[in-house]
């Protein structure tokens, strides 16, 4: 963020603290929880500020909140997570389209070139991903894809997780 815009970001953060009460002490947050009121927390990264809300009643109108479904969080040039609602109507994350396609392409190259080391490196990368339900569903889809690749290229690699 440019230096001349930092004061604006600080003004926005101060406004969020006053409106949502994100700067409450631990005791005040606990008191709100006991009374059935919602607590808010603000997390900022560069020029993005996310406000999280706990269950409970709040004095704000629903129009103050933006539907965050489909929100993409890009952690690196490689990893993107997307916020979705699963079949249980609960929030979860899945891999972004580019990340998932990259995995599929790398797996296909590993089978095509017979590169077992790359295949097992990809397996370790998958195990290092967070355990969200959406990512687990993508893992199931990827297992089906790996079985098809195994039939095509006839490798004796352990493709199960």
């Amino acid at each position: 963020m440019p230096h001349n815009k930092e004061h604006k970001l600080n003004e926005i953060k101060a406004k969020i603290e006053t409106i949502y009460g994100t700067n409450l002490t631990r005791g005040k947050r606990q008191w709100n929880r006991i009374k059935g009121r919602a607590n808010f927390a603000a997390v900022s990264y560069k020029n993005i500020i996310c406000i999280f809300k706990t269950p409970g009643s709040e004095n704000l109108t629903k129009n103050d909140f933006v539907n965050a479904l489909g929100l993409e969080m890009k952690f690196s040039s490689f990893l993107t997570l997307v916020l979705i609602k699963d079949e249980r109507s609960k929030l979860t994350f899945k891999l972004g389209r580019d990340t998932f396609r990259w995995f599929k392409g790398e797996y296909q190259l590993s089978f095509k070139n017979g590169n077992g080391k790359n295949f097992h490196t990809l397996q370790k990368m998958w195990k290092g991903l967070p355990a969200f339900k959406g990512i687990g569903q993508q893992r199931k889809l990827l297992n089906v894809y790996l079985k098809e690749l195994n039939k095509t290229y006839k490798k004796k690699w352990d493709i199960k997780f």
Side-chain angles (χ1 to χ4, degrees):
M1 171 167 281
H3 180 66
N4 59 354
K5 302 257 180 167
E6 277 187 37
H7 72 283
K8 290 184 181 182
L9 182 62
N10 292 333
E11 288 174 7
I12 292 170
K13 286 181 182 179
K15 187 175 180 181
I16 287 172
E17 282 182 2
T18 57
I19 292 174
Y20 295 101
T22 58
N23 58 346
L24 297 179
T25 63
R26 181 177 172 199
K28 289 180 182 177
R29 287 194 314 268
Q30 188 174 10
W31 178 255
N32 281 342
R33 184 181 56 80
I34 290 170
K35 291 293 185 180
R37 297 182 194 134
N39 284 306
F40 297 92
V43 178
S44 64
Y45 176 72
K46 294 188 179 179
N47 62 344
I48 299 171
I49 301 174
C50 290
I51 301 170
F52 298 99
K53 175 189 164 298
T54 61
S57 64
E58 71 273 344
N59 295 331
L60 304 169
T61 63
K62 293 296 180 189
N63 295 335
D64 292 336
F65 297 99
V66 176
N67 187 357
L69 290 180
L71 173 73
E72 287 192 6
M73 291 189 277
K74 194 165 187 84
F75 291 98
S76 67
S77 59
F78 163 73
L79 180 62
T80 304
L81 294 179
V82 179
L83 184 67
I84 61 166
K85 268 194 179 178
D86 62 3
E87 67 279 354
R88 306 168 300 165
S89 294
K90 294 193 175 185
L91 294 175
T92 185
F93 285 98
K94 70 175 188 173
L95 294 177
R97 180 178 292 169
D98 293 339
T99 304
F100 191 65
R101 284 183 181 172
W102 180 86
F103 267 111
K104 285 178 78 171
E106 287 296 313
Y107 274 120
Q108 185 175 14
L109 277 175
S110 297
F111 273 94
K112 185 177 178 182
N113 298 335
N115 190 347
K117 183 177 180 181
N118 189 36
F119 172 79
H120 291 292
T121 301
L122 290 168
Q123 297 286 73
K124 288 178 186 174
M125 288 172 76
W126 260 100
K127 288 181 182 177
L129 291 173
F132 291 110
K133 180 139 179 124
I135 293 175
Q137 290 170 343
Q138 286 179 317
R139 179 68 211 166
K140 288 178 184 177
L141 292 173
L142 196 60
N143 275 336
V144 171
Y145 180 70
L146 290 176
K147 287 178 184 176
E148 291 174 10
L149 286 175
N150 202 18
K151 287 179 187 176
T152 305
Y153 293 103
K154 299 186 179 24
K155 300 293 180 191
K156 296 183 180 179
W157 298 337
D158 182 22
I159 62 171
K160 295 182 181 176
F161 278 84

